[in-house]
Amino acid sequence: AALNPWDVMLCVSGTAIACENALVVAIICYSPALRTPMFVLVGSLATADLLAGLGLILNFVFQYVIRSETVSLLTVGFLVASFAASVSSLLAITVDRYLSLYNALTYYSERTVLCIHTMLAGAWGVSLCLGLLPVLGWNCLQDSALCSVVRPLTKSNVMLLSASFFLIFLIMLHLYIKICKIVCRHAHQIALQQHFLTASHYVATKKGVSTLAIILGTFGASWLPFAIYCVVGDPEYPPVYTYATLLPATYNSMINPIIYAYRNQEIQRSMWVLFCGCFQSKVSFRSRSPSDV
């Protein structure tokens, strides 16, 4: 079959995603110091995005090299599970950031570690189940009338995935609003203690709220068009509509390492050690707390 430029772009996107997140996974596995709950969550996100990138590459290869409906079903299920794990990991990171601010005194406890591991186990378990649904028979290979805008997923399947995304997005929006309120309240309390709000406090608060808006805005801008199109789209529409909304969704997995990993001072320091073999002490690093945004 002739190469579809959209498939090529998805493959290129998958390659970039895989390379970026493979580096994050390698750094976290390489550095024993990166074992806190925050980095466990970042590692989960990077692993999910790495698998999603590999899934995009495999989907391209199998689509043009090994043309098989069974293989196509497996790769689509793999992609569904990977992207679902990525979105679920983002939700877990949001919950962790909220807890680190709301329960700052008890955050570094065994209970927090257990909570984080439980969240991740649930997130990956649900994601695996969602990925297995098409493989176990919830597909339209036998009846094309059931197909959605994402073949071979059925309309009811993509409706379930879209509803799950909207629920996660609303939960993240609610938590980030609460985080903003906590950050502003902390700034106000500091101002009362010092009898005035300094310019540095104002800048820090504004920067924190702006960062939260960028995080949520990037997530929504990447996934909302595809989720909405899955609900309102019709399989009779030109495939270009599906590609045009799916490609930006993959960019979220490309941006995640930049937002959640490469900006972190501890990971930057580990990159120096990994690539240079030594840490240059003249470079100053400030360790971020889990509540840093």
Side-chain angles (χ1 to χ4, degrees), residues 59 62 66 68-77 141 151-152:
N59 183 65
F62 291 139
I66 307 175
S68 168
E69 288 187 339
T70 302
V71 174
S72 174
L73 198 61
L74 290 173
T75 54
V76 169
L141 294 181
R151 181 179 169 82

Side-chain angles (χ1 to χ4, degrees), residues 81-94:
S82 301
F83 280 119
S86 175
V87 173
S88 300
S89 295
L90 287 174
L91 175 60
I93 290 176
T94 306

Side-chain angles (χ1 to χ4, degrees), residues 260-274:
Y260 296 97
Y262 295 133
R263 291 176 62 249
N264 186 278
Q265 302 293 327
E266 294 295 333
I267 289 183
Q268 290 177 12
R269 178 164 54 189
S270 298
M271 289 179 65
W272 276 99
V273 175
L274 184 63

Side-chain angles (χ1 to χ4, degrees), residues 230-262:
C230 285
V231 175
V232 303
D234 189 275
E236 300 298 327
Y237 292 169
V240 65
Y241 295 159
T242 302
Y243 283 113
T245 53
L246 176 60
L247 186 61
T250 65
Y251 293 159
N252 187 66
S253 296
M254 198 182 303
I255 298 172
N256 283 338
I258 300 174
I259 295 178
Y260 296 97
Y262 295 133

Side-chain angles (χ1 to χ4, degrees), residues 109-227:
S109 65
E110 293 297 327
R111 183 178 180 181
T112 300
V113 175
L114 178 62
C115 177
I116 295 300
H117 290 166
T118 303
M119 279 197 303
L120 288 181
W124 280 91
V126 172
S127 301
L128 181 61
C129 291
L130 291 174
L132 286 175
L133 288 178
V135 181
L136 296 178
W138 204 0
N139 57 71
C140 62
L141 294 181
Q142 305 300 325
D143 187 0
S144 59
L146 299 176
C147 283
S148 65
V149 294
V150 183
R151 181 179 169 82
L153 300 182
T154 64
K155 297 176 182 177
S156 54
N157 195 342
V158 296
M159 289 289 288
L160 172 64
L161 295 174
S162 297
S164 301
F165 167 79
F166 291 135
L167 177 61
I168 290 176
F169 182 76
L170 290 176
I171 293 175
M172 290 179 63
L173 177 61
H174 175 70
L175 289 176
Y176 273 129
I177 290 175
K178 299 189 73 170
I179 289 174
C180 287
K181 291 181 179 179
I182 293 175
V183 171
C184 293
R185 185 167 66 248
H186 285 179
H188 181 66
Q189 291 173 349
I190 293 174
L192 291 178
Q193 292 175 358
Q194 299 183 354
H195 304 294
F196 64 94
L197 183 63
T198 63
S200 60
H201 292 151
Y202 173 77
V203 171
T205 303
K206 183 179 179 180
K207 181 180 178 181
V209 174
S210 299
T211 303
L212 292 176
I214 292 173
I215 291 173
L216 191 63
T218 301
F219 176 64
S222 299
W223 278 105
L224 276 176
F226 181 67

